[in-house]
Amino acid sequence: MKLHDELPTDHKLAQVYRWGAAFCGLVLLLFGCLGFADQLSPFNTHGSHIAGMSTNGVLSLLSVIFGLVLIVGAIVGGNAASSINMSVGALFLLSGFAHIFILDKPANFLGFGMTNVVFSLLMGLVILTFGMYGRVTSRLPHDNPYWRRRHPRQAAREAAARRAALRTRAPLPQTGSSTGQAR
């Protein structure tokens, strides 16, 4: 099986995955680069403030890494971008919930503040939503590649019925006037 066989055929979905990953990746990349430009100490647990959030060198590095991962996902596109968005979004949500419990404790080696927790939770939800768009719902249309993957027997029956209908369809008569159209 080739990679292009696994990519969704619905180009609107691929665009949502790509643009979502690119946007969120650029935001994270910008935040991380601003932290590096400020020459932060790596493990300062109080953190310096950049863009309203506290940060340190390690958090800046992680922001750049995850930003680049999302941008690579945007470049690759398709199912890869969707899966990367869902994975990174879940990690951001877990990070936000974990850091709620370690705020103002020595274990807070990333220098998280409450604004970082809120940002991590919101960014995680946004990235996760971009990844799950058109993939997770109870009412996917039958031409959606994810519906077809979840219901292979029914998809095969529908595809066979479409092929049979195309084979039995008589060719349309060729007329020079438009009076032969159905009303």
Side-chain angles (χ1 to χ4, degrees):
M1 182 165 284
K2 296 179 182 172
L3 180 62
H4 65 80
D5 293 336
E6 293 296 313
L7 296 177
T9 57
D10 187 357
H11 297 293
K12 286 190 286 187
L13 290 177
Q15 293 301 317
V16 170
Y17 304 149
R18 283 187 157 171
W19 287 106
F23 171 73
C24 294
L26 287 174
V27 168
L28 292 173
L29 194 61
L30 178 66
F31 178 72
C33 288
L34 287 174
F36 285 137
D38 209 15
Q39 298 177 351
L40 301 173
S41 64
F43 291 104
N44 183 3
T45 57
H46 298 295
S48 299
H49 287 278
I50 293 178
M53 294 182 285
S54 63
T55 187
N56 61 21
V58 175
L59 183 57
S60 294
L61 177 65
L62 287 172
S63 297
V64 167
I65 289 170
F66 281 108
L68 290 174
V69 165
L70 287 170
I71 289 170
V72 166
I75 292 168
V76 172
N79 283 356
S82 174
S83 297
I84 288 171
N85 284 352
M86 290 189 341
S87 300
V88 171
L91 288 174
F92 267 76
L93 284 176
L94 289 174
S95 172
F97 284 122
H99 280 92
I100 286 175
F101 297 108
I102 62 171
L103 287 176
D104 299 328
K105 293 195 170 70
N108 186 8
F109 66 91
L110 294 178
F112 260 55
M114 194 57 181
T115 55
N116 296 73
V117 170
V118 171
F119 176 80
S120 183
L121 292 172
L122 290 176
M123 184 61 90
L125 286 173
V126 168
I127 296 170
L128 200 58
T129 301
F130 279 128
M132 287 195 280
Y133 180 79
R135 210 174 164 164
V136 180
T137 182
S138 63
R139 297 183 185 181
L140 290 174
H142 290 211
D143 64 343
N144 185 296
Y146 298 110
W147 182 89
R148 289 192 309 259
R149 181 162 218 127
R150 289 184 200 133
H151 305 92
R153 289 183 191 152
Q154 188 174 353
R157 283 192 304 265
E158 289 177 5
R162 278 192 302 274
R163 284 191 303 269
L166 288 174
R167 273 186 267 138
T168 60
R169 185 183 303 172
L172 296 174
Q174 302 265 337
T175 62
S177 66
S178 62
T179 58
Q181 294 179 352
R183 293 182 190 196

